[in-house]
Amino acid sequence: KKSLKAGLNGSLSTNGGTGRGARLGGGGSMNYRSDKLNVFGNYTYYHQNLKSSGEVNRLFADGTGNITGRSLQRDESSAKLRSSNFQAGLDYTIDSANTIGFVASGGDGQYPDTQPGSNLLYGADGKLARNAATYIFGKEKWEDRQYNLNYVHKFNGNGHELKADIDYVTHFSRMNQDLKTTYSDASGSTMLSKSERRGDLPSDNSIIAGKLDYSLPLAKNLKIDAGWKGSKVKIENILRYDTLANGEFVADLASGNHFKYREEIQAGYLSIKKDWGKWSLLAGLRGEYTATEGHQIETDSLVKRDYFQLFPSVFLSREFKENHKLQLGYSRRLERPGYWDLNPFRIYDDPFSYDEGNPYLRPSLVNTVELSHAYRSAWFTTLTYSKSTDVISQLIGGDASLVYQRPENAAEFVNYGLSLTGTLNFTSWWTSTQFAHVFRNEFKIDNENVEFRLDRTSFTFDSQHTFKLGNNWKAELNGIYKSKMSMGVYTMGGYYMVSGGFQKSLFSEKCTLKMLVTDIFQSKKTRYETDYGGIQVSGLRRPDSRAAVFSLSYRFGSSEGGRKSNNSGADDLKSRF
């Protein structure tokens, strides 16, 4: 076991480069350790100017298949991401058996975005009827804070211990939208009318979470783990849209909303790990009680749910000969909707299309069976089958006058997959890691109004190569390929991407200089299409994925290592914001 020396250590870093706009960043970290006290902190800052563009082509049909209209929507986005994140805390070793710690972390940022765009509107006869040119200015700001108190008690040095965590999280964000639209005739020479809509979308959220984890080794080859986790989430969003009428802004009551959401989860788990000979068994059971309440104040619509579910898991493995290991596993889990998906906010792309949330969403239930084989801990083959019910998918609806996208519990999803991961050492100076995955996605909707099927077999390949060039130089080359794949009601287009870089170590490897170019050929483009609910959609998005960035980092100090990361009870809940 490596001992941790007393003293001060840390690092400083800075980076700069460009994609379609400037990219800058930097930060630093510091750690001081004494016999009983460990104090740490870090700070990072991001500055990115991002430019992207896209287009969406929609074809509308009635119940008999007759074309009722078509639209071609284009936009260009210029965004300025400004973000800073920090963490500070301490660990205090009371004695050889007890340690207590406190961590405060957070982040602030803003994301102003301007989107000039146009929407060409065609009639049922296929002729261009009018052009709607929309200029959108949106600005999002956010502030995150998390406070964590943790405690560890070691009953002995053999892994018999108790861990406790308490977290309090606040998350506030506000989005403002201003849409200005000018309508002109088919020739584009005559202005017909103007419209303007502005929105204010604040969101105020908090989390209180606590957890206990207990580990008890009963014998050399037997271990029991048990624990509890509880959490309470509160969300409140007040949406207001105003529209311009007769030169004055008036409240758009049909688009506004006041939404409150409450969620409480109480969960307990028990797992047993047993080794005998070349066999190993890990079995667990998690019980979870959930109570939720979503209240739309304006319409006085209340959605309350409470339920209890059990989630078993079992993994059985065996070693064969010297270098082979086989494992068979089964697990049952929930995939909960994101809090934004639950929020019935409307975000407009232009006067004719918007995205909104759905307060009636339920979690999706996933059952997975997996068979894996490991060879020399370097090559891994995995065969997977999973089936999900109440799958949350983005569905489209509406007509030629107004189209929307909303998440729904609409489907059943089945996935089969075979993957291979391996490490190759071609020479003493050239190593690589390969990942190949063949899988089939089967998505279906069966209800009173819609019967929909989308199946596709797909392939992905990821190849990473590292070259030692001598004199403390290294180079890396990465390539990714993804074929077409089905995701919900959409078929996503395939793409490839190549990235590469160089690294030089200086001053006894305390200083590192790097140069990285991502998506060298600017080949990563998002294509998608669907034919659902009488609307055919095909779209293309061109992200700001190619960038050249230089970075410089320097490490200083006399201490080895820093603070061991801690998984708090609020991490999975924060990811749903």
Side-chain angles (χ1 to χ4, degrees), residues 35-308:
D35 290 340
K36 289 184 172 293
L37 184 65
N38 183 47
V39 182
F40 55 91
N42 61 67
Y43 173 83
T44 56
Y45 176 74
Y46 301 95
H47 171 117
Q48 295 185 348
N49 294 342
L50 305 170
K51 296 183 179 181
S52 63
S53 62
E55 58 188 48
V56 183
N57 192 4
R58 300 183 180 95
L59 186 66
F60 302 90
D62 59 20
T64 61
N66 295 320
I67 302 300
T68 59
R70 183 171 74 88
S71 68
L72 177 58
Q73 184 179 359
R74 295 189 178 99
D75 75 271
E76 294 183 357
S77 171
S78 297
K80 297 180 178 180
L81 171 64
R82 307 291 186 262
S83 175
S84 60
N85 299 279
F86 72 90
Q87 184 186 70
L90 58 87
D91 297 314
Y92 180 71
T93 303
I94 301 171
D95 53 37
S96 60
N98 299 283
T99 302
I100 190 170
F102 174 76
V103 184
S105 59
D108 300 271
Q110 57 180 331
Y111 190 81
D113 184 16
T114 57
Q115 295 184 37
S118 65
N119 201 340
L120 302 177
L121 306 171
Y122 297 82
D125 56 3
K127 296 181 179 180
L128 180 63
R130 55 178 175 163
N131 179 19
T134 299
Y135 183 90
I136 302 177
F137 176 75
K139 186 173 184 179
E140 183 178 4
K141 293 183 177 180
W142 62 89
E143 180 182 289
D144 292 305
R145 297 291 182 267
Q146 179 173 357
Y147 308 95
N148 169 263
L149 182 65
N150 56 83
Y151 168 75
V152 178
H153 175 76
K154 296 182 179 181
F155 296 93
N156 55 41
N158 299 321
H160 184 194
E161 62 182 24
L162 175 69
K163 296 181 179 180
D165 277 90
I166 298 176
D167 288 89
Y168 177 65
V169 178
T170 62
H171 172 88
F172 177 79
S173 66
R174 174 171 242 124
M175 179 184 289
N176 299 108
Q177 263 198 329
D178 192 359
L179 294 84
K180 298 180 180 180
T181 304
T182 301
Y183 303 89
S184 58
D185 61 7
S187 66
S189 59
T190 303
M191 187 184 73
L192 301 176
S193 61
K194 290 183 177 181
S195 69
E196 187 171 351
R197 177 192 299 271
R198 65 187 185 188
D200 183 20
L201 296 78
S203 180
D204 197 359
N205 318 298
S206 66
I207 298 172
I208 297 176
K211 69 169 186 172
L212 291 170
D213 296 291
Y214 177 71
S215 295
L216 175 62
L218 292 177
K220 182 179 180 181
N221 298 320
L222 179 63
K223 182 182 178 183
I224 293 178
D225 289 287
W228 161 87
K229 178 181 174 181
S231 63
K232 287 188 176 183
V233 177
K234 293 183 180 181
I235 296 176
E236 183 170 6
N237 303 305
I238 303 174
L239 166 64
R240 178 186 174 93
Y241 272 110
D242 297 325
T243 57
L244 191 63
N246 299 321
E248 295 183 357
F249 280 98
V250 296
D252 183 357
L253 300 180
S255 298
N257 203 350
H258 184 183
F259 180 66
K260 291 184 177 181
Y261 179 77
R262 303 290 183 267
E263 178 183 278
E264 180 179 351
I265 301 174
Q266 300 291 335
Y269 74 90
L270 176 68
S271 68
I272 299 175
K273 188 177 187 301
K274 170 66 176 175
D275 299 324
W276 66 97
K278 295 185 176 182
W279 289 90
S280 179
L281 174 69
L282 175 62
L285 182 64
R286 176 183 174 91
E288 191 170 280
Y289 169 78
T290 303
T292 64
E293 178 181 299
H295 188 194
Q296 297 188 61
I297 307 297
E298 302 292 341
T299 60
D300 196 24
S301 174
L302 185 65
V303 181
K304 298 181 70 173
R305 292 194 178 101
D306 65 277
Y307 49 88
F308 176 80

Side-chain angles (χ1 to χ4, degrees), residues 59-62 531-536:
L59 186 66
F60 302 90
D62 59 20
D531 185 354
Y532 181 84
I535 306 175
Q536 295 180 26

Side-chain angles (χ1 to χ4, degrees), residues 206-457:
S206 66
I207 298 172
I208 297 176
K211 69 169 186 172
L212 291 170
D213 296 291
Y214 177 71
S215 295
L216 175 62
L218 292 177
K220 182 179 180 181
N221 298 320
L222 179 63
K223 182 182 178 183
I224 293 178
D225 289 287
W228 161 87
K229 178 181 174 181
S231 63
K232 287 188 176 183
V233 177
K234 293 183 180 181
I235 296 176
E236 183 170 6
N237 303 305
I238 303 174
L239 166 64
R240 178 186 174 93
Y241 272 110
D242 297 325
T243 57
L244 191 63
N246 299 321
E248 295 183 357
F249 280 98
V250 296
D252 183 357
L253 300 180
S255 298
N257 203 350
H258 184 183
F259 180 66
K260 291 184 177 181
Y261 179 77
R262 303 290 183 267
E263 178 183 278
E264 180 179 351
I265 301 174
Q266 300 291 335
Y269 74 90
L270 176 68
S271 68
I272 299 175
K273 188 177 187 301
K274 170 66 176 175
D275 299 324
W276 66 97
K278 295 185 176 182
W279 289 90
S280 179
L281 174 69
L282 175 62
L285 182 64
R286 176 183 174 91
E288 191 170 280
Y289 169 78
T290 303
T292 64
E293 178 181 299
H295 188 194
Q296 297 188 61
I297 307 297
E298 302 292 341
T299 60
D300 196 24
S301 174
L302 185 65
V303 181
K304 298 181 70 173
R305 292 194 178 101
D306 65 277
Y307 49 88
F308 176 80
Q309 291 179 297
L310 293 174
F311 301 94
S313 62
V314 58
F315 299 90
L316 180 65
S317 62
R318 189 186 191 285
E319 295 181 1
F320 293 88
K321 296 183 179 179
E322 183 178 352
N323 296 314
H324 296 270
K325 185 177 181 179
L326 197 65
Q327 178 173 288
L328 178 65
Y330 164 78
S331 64
R332 185 175 189 257
R333 70 181 191 277
L334 277 183
E335 290 186 353
R336 299 182 182 276
Y339 298 124
W340 185 261
D341 286 338
L342 289 164
N343 195 327
F345 274 9
R346 287 186 179 182
I347 305 296
Y348 283 87
D349 296 319
D350 66 8
F352 310 99
S353 60
Y354 63 85
D355 290 75
E356 68 176 0
N358 182 358
Y360 301 99
L361 289 176
R362 301 180 302 276
S364 176
L365 186 62
V366 184
N367 288 276
T368 303
V369 178
E370 187 174 277
L371 177 64
S372 62
H373 172 261
Y375 174 66
R376 288 187 174 179
S377 297
W379 288 89
F380 303 89
T381 306
T382 305
L383 181 65
T384 305
Y385 169 83
S386 68
K387 183 176 182 180
S388 306
T389 55
D390 278 337
V391 174
I392 300 171
S393 181
Q394 295 289 337
L395 303 184
I396 57 175
D399 52 34
S401 62
L402 185 62
V403 63
Y404 62 85
Q405 182 169 270
R406 178 171 59 215
E408 300 276 3
N409 290 106
E412 177 181 288
F413 175 66
V414 175
N415 168 266
Y416 313 83
L418 176 64
S419 65
L420 175 66
T421 305
T423 301
L424 289 172
N425 297 319
F426 295 106
T427 67
S428 60
W429 52 269
W430 178 10
T431 62
S432 72
T433 300
Q434 318 294 329
F435 174 74
H437 188 199
V438 180
F439 59 96
R440 181 171 178 80
N441 289 343
E442 297 180 355
F443 181 89
K444 77 176 178 180
I445 298 175
D446 261 331
N447 56 40
E448 297 177 356
N449 302 317
V450 178
E451 184 175 333
F452 180 88
R453 298 285 189 280
L454 187 61
D455 305 335
R456 181 173 289 275
T457 301

